[in-house]
């Protein structure tokens, strides 16, 4: 009897898989398109180039010392290191033998022609990209110079190196749509949802993950751990609580710097390769989606030094180590350092990023409009855990309007994490 049940279960699973495969083969979205039949127009290629920037393809497929889209970018995960692949039209190592349908399946289903993809490739959010836009990106990628660079082997431990298991992962965790994080129904809001959730794949870095690497979509955009820096909560209420207005967010996405702070870590890469190239209309649409059709008023910064804590020690640390660049009252210096008074990172309830920057520093960056941020040294070797907590609490209360609740143990736990 048990054997019959087991056999019946196998047959049922096979039937379900067969129906899924058959439906996929019959779905017109999986057919080849005109892109495969004739040389694409320059207009289509230009559209694809823009969409590739909006989708931030460069970040994972172009290494710092490598050719454009030739792969080799290490992507650390809890299960090992995945390497971005060669997506130039090289026929041996790239996607030169792919069809437009193959490319769409990779974006939509996480399936390359010969194997499932790891979800380090964000097909969990690219799934929302339309076939029309997928074809445009494919046309652009096929138009660039092929580069014969072999793909690096992934360093993934057993059993996660068994790619067939990814089909089961997809059955469990791959969703057709992502939950909305704001309220709206305007045309701009709808476009913003597409740019944010699909092309921009903001969910991938700003959403927490479960033990199998799946997105916890019920907490969408409420913050995600990137192994060091935490992608902060960018839901409408959280943005408003840290002082973000729609205008400031538009400036931040376009220029990488705003009165609330500057991009650093993975967000600088996203700005540098992607968000600064968004059209004005897509920039506004993304912000409209992130804040909603009726944005909440940004909460003004109010110092909270009088929380019942003596901040004199923390202020001495600040004057000795920080005031020379950030100024005595945290107002910063143009083209040198950002203001700390009202700074979004300082105002974040989670002190993770603030403490990491204090420990390890951040590198100098150039921004559009001749704006700049100079190199900031870390103080991991200058302050012990207690002193670091004192400084962090002074910043949080005096410049962030928060409670000074950082403990020495919190600092100790972050010392080993990677720098921003």
């Amino acid at each position: 009897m048990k054997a019959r049940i087991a056999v019946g279960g196998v047959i049922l699973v096979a039937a379900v898989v067969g129906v899924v495969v058959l439906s996929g083969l019959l779905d017109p979205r999986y057919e080849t398109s005109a892109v495969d039949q004739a040389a694409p127009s320059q207009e289509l290629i230009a559209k694809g180039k823009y969409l590739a920037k909006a989708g931030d393809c460069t970040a994972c497929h172009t290494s710092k010392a490598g050719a454009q889209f030739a792969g080799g970018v290490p992507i650390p995960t809890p299960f090992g290191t995945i390497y971005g692949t060669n997506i130039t039209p090289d026929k041996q190592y790239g996607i030169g033998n792919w069809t437009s349908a193959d490319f769409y399946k990779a974006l939509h289903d996480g399936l390359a022609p010969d194997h499932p993809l790891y979800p380090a490739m964000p097909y969990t959010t690219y799934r929302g990209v339309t076939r029309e836009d997928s074809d445009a990106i494919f046309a652009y990628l096929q138009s660039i110079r092929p580069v014969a660079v072999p793909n690096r082997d992934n360093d993934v431990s057993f059993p996660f190196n068994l790619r067939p298991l990814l089909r089961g992962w997809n059955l469990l965790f791959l969703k057709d749509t992502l939950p909305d994080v704001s309220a709206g129904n305007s045309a701009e809001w709808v476009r913003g949802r597409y740019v944010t959730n699909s092309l921009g794949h903001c969910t991938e870095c700003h959403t927490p993950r479960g033990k199998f690497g799946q997105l916890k979509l019920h907490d969408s955009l409420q913050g995600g751990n990137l192994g060091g820096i935490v992608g902060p909560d960018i839901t409408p209420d959280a943005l408003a609580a840290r002082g973000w207005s729609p205008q400031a967010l538009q400036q931040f996405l376009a220029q990488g710097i705003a009165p609330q702070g500057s991009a650093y870590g993975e967000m600088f890469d996203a700005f540098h390769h992607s968000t600064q190239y968004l059209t004005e209309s897509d920039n506004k649409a993304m912000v409209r989606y992130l804040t909603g059709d009726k944005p909440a008023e940004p909460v003004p910064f109010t110092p909270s030094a009088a929380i019942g804590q003596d901040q004199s020690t923390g202020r001495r640390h600040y004057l000795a180590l920080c005031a020379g660049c950030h100024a005595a009252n945290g107002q910063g210096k143009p083209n040198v350092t950002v203001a700390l008074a009202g700074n979004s990172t300082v105002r974040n309830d989670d002190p993770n990023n603030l403490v990491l920057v204090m420990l390890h520093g951040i590198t100098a960056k150039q921004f559009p409009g001749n704006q700049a941020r100079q190199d900031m040294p870390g103080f991991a070797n200058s302050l012990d855990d207690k002193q670091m907590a004192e400084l962090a609490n002074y910043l949080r209360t005096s410049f962030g309007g928060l409670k000074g609740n950082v403990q020495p143990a919190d600092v100790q736990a972050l010392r080993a994490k990677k720098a921003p």
Side-chain angles (χ1 to χ4, degrees), residues 202-348:
C202 302
T203 306
E204 299 290 330
C205 290
H206 290 276
T207 298
R209 294 180 180 270
K211 62 182 179 179
F212 296 110
Q214 77 277 19
L215 294 165
K216 293 184 176 180
L217 294 177
H218 55 283
D219 295 328
S220 189
L221 298 190
Q222 292 182 29
N225 194 328
L226 303 175
I229 287 291
V230 170
D233 188 332
I234 56 172
T235 56
D237 288 345
L239 287 169
R242 299 200 303 275
W244 287 102
S245 66
Q247 295 74 23
L249 278 172
Q250 290 167 21
Q251 178 181 336
F252 181 78
L253 292 174
Q255 300 180 19
I257 191 167
Q260 290 79 3
S262 61
Y264 58 91
E266 284 85 348
M267 188 60 214
F268 180 83
D269 293 337
F271 152 75
H272 181 67
H273 296 304
S274 181
T275 66
Q276 69 169 318
Y277 298 107
L278 293 176
T279 62
E280 183 178 358
S281 61
D282 276 350
N283 174 299
K284 290 182 177 179
M286 177 178 277
V287 171
R288 173 61 68 95
Y289 177 71
L290 290 173
T291 58
D293 273 344
K294 296 181 180 179
E297 287 293 324
V299 178
F301 157 65
T302 303
S304 301
I307 292 184
Q309 295 177 316
D310 179 8
Q311 297 295 336
S312 58
T313 304
R315 179 163 176 77
R316 285 198 296 272
H317 296 321
Y318 177 79
L319 293 175
L321 297 172
C322 313
C325 294
H326 291 283
N329 295 316
Q331 65 266 37
K333 295 179 180 179
N335 294 321
V336 178
T337 54
V338 297
L340 292 181
N343 184 282
S344 183
T345 297
V346 177
R347 295 184 70 180
N348 198 339

Side-chain angles (χ1 to χ4, degrees), residues 46-239:
K47 177 183 177 181
K49 183 176 182 179
Y50 171 74
L51 293 171
K53 288 183 181 294
D56 200 7
C57 301
T58 296
C60 292
H61 293 282
T62 305
S63 64
K64 291 182 178 180
Q68 185 182 31
F69 298 135
V73 179
I75 305 169
T77 77
F79 313 102
T81 301
I82 310 294
Y83 291 93
T85 56
N86 185 333
I87 57 171
T88 73
D90 182 75
K91 292 185 179 297
Q92 182 174 3
Y93 301 113
I95 59 173
N97 291 318
W98 287 27
T99 66
S100 61
D102 292 332
F103 187 73
Y104 180 70
K105 288 176 187 176
L107 292 187
H108 189 262
D109 301 315
L111 299 176
D114 56 351
H115 59 255
L117 300 174
Y118 286 103
M121 190 280 196
Y123 62 86
T124 44
T125 47
Y126 283 160
R127 189 170 178 81
V129 172
T130 66
R131 176 63 193 268
E132 180 183 3
D133 283 354
S134 172
D135 283 356
I137 297 171
F138 180 71
Y140 164 63
L141 291 175
Q142 292 296 304
S143 75
I144 66 176
R145 180 174 65 89
V147 181
V149 174
N151 290 303
R152 296 187 62 176
D153 292 333
N154 297 316
D155 182 16
V156 181
S157 59
F158 180 83
F160 306 109
N161 61 338
L162 302 177
R163 284 188 184 262
L165 295 178
L166 293 168
R167 294 183 182 273
W169 190 96
N170 288 343
L171 287 173
L172 290 172
F173 302 122
L174 187 58
K175 307 298 180 184
D176 286 333
T177 59
L178 301 179
D180 293 329
V181 299
S182 67
N185 57 18
S186 66
E188 188 172 62
W189 184 90
V190 172
R191 173 62 181 177
R193 175 173 59 185
Y194 180 68
V195 175
T196 302
N197 284 354
S198 298
L199 285 173
H201 58 282
C202 302
T203 306
E204 299 290 330
C205 290
H206 290 276
T207 298
R209 294 180 180 270
K211 62 182 179 179
F212 296 110
Q214 77 277 19
L215 294 165
K216 293 184 176 180
L217 294 177
H218 55 283
D219 295 328
S220 189
L221 298 190
Q222 292 182 29
N225 194 328
L226 303 175
I229 287 291
V230 170
D233 188 332
I234 56 172
T235 56
D237 288 345
L239 287 169

